[in-house]
């Protein structure tokens, strides 16, 4: 899995558009001219700013909107390339923390404290998790605020105010924890402060109702911090284990995540992004709804662009490797390099573990 929004933001300046010499079309802003890789979409003769401007569907487009159009072309190329590279199954595990039946007859004795869970992620760099939802089992109505902290900083990563209205309630969270943030490793703490609620959790002491599941690659333990009342992370030396129920049952998914890998290896993707962006520009011309100043050359250009995209067949007088085939070659190369790096990470982790034993 990849977080495409983060990747698009990080890779947007990897390739750019050169400012044309034609003063009537010298409208590319500085952001779209930026190319940290040295690759430019307009290096291809069929991706001229003139062609793109005269072929996009809105004849009266403003310069600022046209630059947004160019930006969207690059973002589309980034997502296309990443989705082709990372097209394998990335799901690892999904589970509820508590799966067994629980008898809702007895209540817990609640103290003023933070109650919840400590979550530790395995050492693999490409593992991430998502807290899909929480199932709440409380008696009485009231509000609780769920917090998710990472030990990398005092302030919470996520929070949500929940109003308890029934003895069994589902709340969608969709809290993603991937490796593109500075707080990825360390430990996570997930739960609420009991002094902010008048609700009381039911006990889980019937028919193995308190048996805690462990999602693959995560280690999760119930914890409490007595007297904690704020929305800031507590003193970790005060964290204690907890045998009582806290009323929370989380649905968690674990998956492979390559967001950080892409962001930190952006140059590996640069040539493929350039090729895909050129293809996007050519397709803008081929699918244009407009008549434009270049229409007199439409028939010749159409044929030439198709050859540029698809290449020539075997036995042709001139052998042209099409942009689409070039892109497939780049995708294959990137996949190969990704696999090498992944194996390198795993080998490094194996060596580290063996040295510690």
């Amino acid at each position: 899995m990849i977080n495409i929004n983060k990747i698009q933001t990080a890779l947007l300046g990897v390739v750019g558009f050169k400012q044309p010499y034609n003063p009537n079309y010298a409208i590319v802003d500085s952001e779209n001219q930026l190319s940290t890789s040295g690759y430019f979409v307009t290096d291809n003769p069929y991706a001229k700013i003139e062609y793109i401007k005269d072929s996009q569907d809105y004849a009266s487009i403003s310069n600022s909107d046209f630059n947004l159009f160019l930006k969207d072309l690059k973002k589309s190329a980034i997502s296309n390339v990443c989705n082709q590279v990372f097209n394998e199954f990335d799901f690892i595990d999904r589970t509820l923390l508590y799966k067994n039946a629980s008898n809702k007859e007895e209540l817990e004795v609640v103290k003023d404290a933070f109650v919840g869970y400590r979550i530790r992620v395995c050492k693999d760099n490409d593992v991430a998790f998502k807290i899909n939802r929480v199932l709440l089992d409380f008696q009485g109505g009231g509000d609780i605020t769920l917090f998710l902290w990472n030990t990398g900083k005092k302030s919470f990563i996520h929070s949500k105010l929940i109003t308890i209205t029934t003895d069994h309630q589902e709340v969608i969270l969709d809290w993603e924890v991937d490796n593109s943030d500075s707080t990825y490793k360390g430990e996570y703490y997930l739960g609420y402060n009991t002094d902010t609620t008048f609700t009381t959790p039911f006990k889980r002491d019937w028919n193995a109702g308190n048996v805690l599941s462990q999602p693959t690659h995560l280690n999760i333990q119930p914890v409490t911090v007595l007297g904690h009342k704020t929305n800031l992370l507590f003193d970790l030396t005060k964290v204690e284990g907890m045998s009582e129920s806290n009323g929370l049952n989380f649905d968690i998914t674990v998956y492979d995540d390559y967001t950080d890998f892409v962001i930190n290896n952006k140059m590996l993707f640069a040539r493929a992004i350039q090729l895909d962006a050129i293809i996007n520009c050519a397709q803008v011309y081929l699918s244009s709804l407009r008549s434009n100043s270049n229409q007199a050359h439409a028939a010749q250009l159409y044929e030439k662009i198709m050859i540029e995209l698809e290449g020539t067949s075997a036995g042709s007088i001139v052998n042209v490797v099409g942009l689409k085939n070039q892109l497939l070659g780049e995708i294959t190369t990137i996949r190969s390099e990704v696999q090498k790096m992944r194996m390198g990470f795993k080998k490094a982790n194996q060596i580290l573990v063996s040295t510690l034993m």
Side-chain angles (χ1 to χ4, degrees):
M1 186 175 291
I2 52 177
N3 187 319
I4 199 61
N5 289 327
K6 290 183 179 179
I7 290 173
Q8 286 176 332
T9 299
L11 271 63
L12 198 58
V14 169
V15 301
F17 294 86
K18 288 181 179 177
Q19 191 77 279
Y21 293 112
N22 185 340
N24 294 326
Y25 290 87
I27 55 177
V28 182
D29 63 21
S30 57
E31 183 180 8
N32 277 316
Q33 290 182 56
L34 177 65
S35 173
T36 56
S37 68
Y39 288 115
F40 291 89
V41 181
T42 42
D43 285 343
N44 185 282
Y46 301 104
K48 298 179 186 293
I49 293 297
E50 291 90 331
Y51 289 166
I52 304 169
K53 177 71 160 53
D54 291 344
S55 299
Q56 55 76 41
D57 291 335
Y58 182 41
S60 301
I61 191 170
S62 67
N63 290 347
S64 60
D65 284 344
F66 178 66
N67 277 285
L68 289 176
F69 180 81
L70 295 180
K71 184 177 179 180
D72 286 341
L73 280 176
K74 292 193 293 181
K75 291 172 70 174
S76 177
I78 293 167
S79 62
N80 288 344
V81 168
C82 290
N83 287 330
Q84 289 183 70
V85 171
F86 302 103
N87 63 346
E88 297 179 356
F89 192 62
D90 52 27
F91 173 82
I92 296 176
D93 192 11
R94 181 174 182 177
T95 189
L96 277 173
L97 294 187
Y98 298 100
K99 299 178 181 179
N100 297 329
S102 181
N103 190 21
K104 292 188 172 181
E105 288 296 323
E106 296 187 54
L107 299 175
E108 288 289 2
V109 177
V110 179
K111 301 177 182 178
D112 283 352
F114 165 82
V115 295
Y117 302 93
R118 176 177 56 211
I119 304 175
R120 291 170 172 158
V121 187
C122 74
K123 298 299 183 181
D124 291 352
N125 289 335
D126 56 0
V127 171
F129 65 95
K130 181 178 181 181
I131 305 167
N132 305 298
R133 59 185 176 136
V134 59
L135 305 179
L136 303 109
D137 294 291
F138 291 87
Q139 176 176 279
D143 293 338
I144 66 171
T145 300
L146 282 183
F147 294 103
L148 177 63
W149 287 285
N150 177 274
T151 51
K153 61 180 183 179
K154 293 286 288 184
S155 58
F156 56 80
I157 299 173
H158 294 287
S159 72
K160 188 175 184 66
L161 176 65
I162 299 173
T163 300
I164 306 296
T165 58
T166 67
D167 60 25
H168 182 71
Q169 190 167 331
E170 177 190 51
V171 176
I172 303 299
L173 297 175
D174 286 336
W175 289 353
E176 293 186 1
V177 180
D178 63 41
N179 59 8
S180 64
D181 294 321
S182 60
T183 55
Y184 175 58
K185 293 298 184 179
E187 296 179 346
Y188 294 87
Y189 289 90
L190 174 64
Y192 64 96
N193 297 327
T194 59
D195 71 312
T196 62
T197 178
F198 296 101
T199 60
T200 306
F202 290 101
K203 286 188 176 182
R204 285 188 173 274
D205 58 356
W206 180 80
N207 196 26
N210 62 347
V211 174
L212 182 66
S213 301
Q214 293 293 337
T216 305
H217 295 314
L218 302 183
N219 179 272
I220 302 178
Q221 297 298 328
V223 296
T224 184
V225 180
L226 295 175
H228 184 72
K229 298 182 179 182
T230 74
N231 61 4
L232 297 177
L233 182 65
F234 31 75
D235 181 351
L236 298 181
T237 64
K238 296 182 179 180
V239 176
E240 301 177 7
M242 181 178 179
S243 58
E244 298 85 4
S245 296
N246 54 38
L248 305 175
N249 189 7
F250 291 98
D251 171 14
I252 298 177
T253 298
V254 184
Y255 55 92
D256 287 320
D257 183 86
Y258 302 102
T259 303
D260 183 68
F261 177 89
V262 176
I263 292 173
N264 285 287
N265 294 276
K266 60 182 67 175
M267 294 307 167
L268 178 62
F269 296 80
R271 173 60 174 160
I273 293 170
Q274 181 206 30
L275 288 169
D276 197 276
I278 293 170
I279 292 170
N280 286 346
C281 291
Q283 290 173 339
V284 167
Y285 184 87
L286 295 177
S287 62
S288 177
L289 301 176
R290 294 173 51 205
S291 297
N292 58 64
S293 59
N294 295 307
Q295 191 172 16
H297 306 289
Q300 299 97 319
L301 274 174
Y302 183 88
E303 182 178 350
K304 291 178 179 178
I305 289 175
M306 288 304 298
I307 292 174
E308 186 75 1
L309 289 175
E310 305 294 343
T312 53
S313 58
S316 299
I317 298 174
V318 179
N319 182 30
V320 177
V321 180
L323 290 170
K324 291 182 178 180
N325 283 332
Q326 292 181 53
L327 177 59
L328 288 175
E330 284 295 322
I331 296 297
T332 301
T333 299
I334 295 171
R335 286 177 181 164
S336 176
E337 291 301 313
V338 168
Q339 188 62 25
K340 288 178 186 177
M341 293 181 185
R342 288 183 63 193
M343 294 305 294
F345 287 144
K346 290 181 180 180
K347 185 176 181 180
N349 285 334
Q350 290 171 357
I351 293 172
L352 177 62
V353 170
S354 65
T355 59
L356 294 176
M357 294 179 63

